[in-house]
Amino acid sequence: MRVPTGLQRREHQLTRRMASWDSPAARGLLPAVEEAAEHTKLWWAAALVMAVKGGRRGRRAAASGVLAMAVAELLSNGVAKQLVERRRPPAEWIPHGDVEDRPDSSSFPSGHTAAAMAFTTAVAASWPWVGAACAVPTVLVAVERVHSGAHYPSDVAAGAVIGGLATALVRMTPRLLLRRRG
């Protein structure tokens, strides 16, 4: 993927700045967020808690979140990553040792961010307060993907857009199907 020079320079600056964030909070919290977000474990756990503790509203929010997350993963990992080949940020941009444990797949877009955003926006549409609570780990996932050197900021932004689009698609589909039947 060819990135315009101006954007590439800004991404280099922002990636280096985010990756060099070396506070005790970053060292403790971001690796835990990465582990929880792997294979969407965090979102499946949230959905389970919502379904068990949230009654009908919780089950609806959980189902909507999981469905939107699945669509986002299909769009980001199954479609976009196959169409756009982009290398991960160069290891020399990342001043810590986490760069050895990066995926081999295309950097564009961030599938973790797409899944997180889709889950959160779908839940927020059904249950706003819980969606707001889910937004905190969603932002942390996005920050972690750049901090660890797994993605460029634009990969994360694209993942967020895909996640939002997946939620919109999931929310529109029943209405479109009903309109078509009638």
Side-chain angles (χ1 to χ4, degrees):
M1 178 173 147
R2 182 83 176 118
V3 178
T5 306
L7 176 60
Q8 189 174 24
R9 187 174 53 251
R10 286 186 191 96
E11 290 214 291
H12 178 206
Q13 293 168 341
L14 188 54
T15 300
R16 286 189 66 102
R17 184 172 294 143
M18 290 177 73
S20 65
W21 184 32
D22 190 31
S23 71
R27 284 192 310 272
L29 185 61
L30 294 178
V33 168
E34 179 180 23
E35 175 59 32
E38 275 301 308
H39 308 293
T40 64
K41 292 181 289 200
L42 174 63
W43 312 115
W44 281 102
L48 180 63
V49 170
M50 284 186 268
V52 170
K53 298 283 188 180
R56 184 176 177 180
R57 186 180 209 182
R59 288 187 296 277
R60 183 177 35 227
S64 180
V66 167
L67 182 57
M69 180 175 64
V71 170
E73 286 194 309
L74 175 67
L75 293 174
S76 64
N77 298 333
V79 176
K81 279 188 187 288
Q82 307 310 311
L83 296 174
V84 179
E85 181 60 37
R86 185 178 195 192
R87 296 174 151 254
R88 302 285 170 166
E92 58 270 11
W93 290 11
I94 314 303
H96 51 75
D98 293 345
V99 293
E100 291 83 30
D101 191 27
R102 297 188 299 176
D104 294 329
S105 61
S106 176
S107 180
F108 185 88
S110 169
H112 285 78
T113 304
M117 182 65 104
F119 183 85
T120 297
T121 55
V123 166
S126 298
W127 203 357
W129 289 105
V130 175
C134 289
V136 173
T138 294
V139 169
L140 290 173
V141 165
V143 167
E144 184 281 325
R145 300 313 290 161
V146 176
H147 180 269
S148 69
H151 290 285
Y152 296 93
S154 62
D155 299 337
V156 170
V161 169
I162 289 170
L165 290 173
T167 296
L169 184 62
V170 165
R171 292 184 54 79
M172 284 185 339
T173 299
R175 285 180 277 218
L176 293 173
L177 291 174
L178 288 175
R179 190 179 314 161
R180 191 168 183 210
R181 282 178 82 192

